[in-house]
Amino acid sequence: MEKTEDRWKDIDETDLTIAERCVYRARKKAVELYRRGSSAGEIFGATGLSGTAAAHLWKKCCAKDPETGESRGYEALIPRSRIKKFIR
């Protein structure tokens, strides 16, 4: 059986600035370590992010896109990405 996170597509990093790329890669590594069950100390040592931050990012990745109904995946890790569109 295929897990949801195994179907998440990789992000094309060429559209990101260098700063955004660094943040995205650290977040992705933290999520992958969290998914594997690494300790908070291991996550912090490898990425500089806390275990709590990794758990929050994991939830963002698993959140459903309201338009498509699919989980956001690694797209949610891009700096300044939004799950909900702003409606006034």
Side-chain angles (χ1 to χ4, degrees), residues 1-10 28 31-32 35-36 58 61-62 71 73-74:
M1 184 172 176
E2 189 177 9
K3 295 180 183 176
T4 302
E5 59 272 11
D6 292 338
R7 293 183 285 153
W8 292 347
K9 62 180 179 178
D10 283 324
K28 183 177 178 183
V31 166
E32 290 172 351
R35 181 179 68 137
R36 290 186 201 132
W58 172 257
C61 289
C62 292
S71 56
Y74 294 128

Side-chain angles (χ1 to χ4, degrees), residues 53-74:
H56 174 73
L57 291 170
W58 172 257
K59 288 178 185 175
K60 269 182 83 168
C61 289
C62 292
K64 302 286 183 189
D65 186 324
E67 293 178 4
T68 64
E70 295 181 9
S71 56
R72 294 283 310 261
Y74 294 128

Side-chain angles (χ1 to χ4, degrees), residues 6-72:
D6 292 338
R7 293 183 285 153
W8 292 347
K9 62 180 179 178
D10 283 324
I11 301 300
D12 181 14
E13 296 180 19
T14 57
D15 294 336
L16 303 176
T17 65
I18 293 173
E20 290 173 333
R21 196 173 304 155
C22 289
V23 170
Y24 168 74
R25 288 179 181 169
R27 289 176 176 179
K28 183 177 178 183
K29 182 154 184 87
V31 166
E32 290 172 351
L33 290 170
Y34 178 80
R35 181 179 68 137
R36 290 186 201 132
S38 297
S39 71
E42 291 171 331
I43 294 170
F44 183 77
T47 65
L49 297 169
S50 69
T52 305
H56 174 73
L57 291 170
W58 172 257
K59 288 178 185 175
K60 269 182 83 168
C61 289
C62 292
K64 302 286 183 189
D65 186 324
E67 293 178 4
T68 64
E70 295 181 9
S71 56
R72 294 283 310 261

